[in-house]
Amino acid sequence: MRENHVAGQSLDQQKLKHERLRLWSGLSRASARIEAELRERMRIHFADVTLPRYDVLAALYEEPEGLLMSQLSRSLMVSNGNVTGIVERLVSNGLAERRSRDGDKRTHLVRLTAEGRRSYEIISAHYECWVDELLGCFDGAETEFLNKTLRSIS
């Protein structure tokens, strides 16, 4: 009789491992679908706002005194190069300003202008409603459980 388990794992452990893989696949697909829907709604309602641009606006909004470019890229978990292009466009559109920090021309502090803050508040109000609609299938207890569970793995 052939054993149906992997290197010392019981069938229950194998099943749990498989279910966790299915969970990851499901989370990934759900995230991609929600992100695609949010991206489309942004395109329709705010033609010049991409999700990465929204993320930069949100990060800067949370730090009224501004962030160093390196802090911004770290908080968004992307490279400095990715953030630089977005910040350049925000600056050229009058939504952000960049200044040398303490006269050091090698490091730049970026912060939203008053127009950038107003713009973010308008976009954010829509974004929050969209996310609420897309995740409206979860009641309060389910939302709290999922948030707690996701925090434990991030």
Side-chain angles (χ1 to χ4, degrees), residues 62-133:
E62 293 301 317
E63 297 292 339
E65 298 304 311
L67 289 169
L68 294 172
M69 292 290 285
S70 58
Q71 292 172 314
L72 185 55
S73 64
R74 243 189 334 274
S75 76
L76 298 173
M77 296 186 287
V78 296
S79 72
N80 281 347
N82 288 347
V83 170
T84 299
I86 295 169
V87 168
E88 292 288 336
R89 286 186 289 284
L90 291 175
V91 169
S92 69
N93 292 337
L95 300 177
E97 60 186 15
R98 185 178 35 219
R99 302 180 272 141
S100 294
R101 184 176 73 159
D102 300 327
D104 182 353
K105 294 183 180 186
R106 294 170 296 161
T107 60
H108 292 94
L109 195 63
V110 181
R111 69 181 189 142
L112 292 180
T113 61
E115 183 182 348
R117 294 186 71 74
R118 282 191 301 276
S119 179
Y120 171 77
E121 289 166 355
I122 292 166
I123 297 164
S124 182
H126 284 83
Y127 189 86
E128 185 177 317
C129 288
W130 297 335
V131 170
D132 185 58
E133 177 190 332

Side-chain angles (χ1 to χ4, degrees), residues 141-154:
E142 291 168 324
T143 300
E144 188 177 325
F145 171 77
L146 288 168
N147 275 323
K148 182 180 175 185
T149 303
L150 291 172
R151 273 193 307 273
S152 75
I153 62 173
S154 63

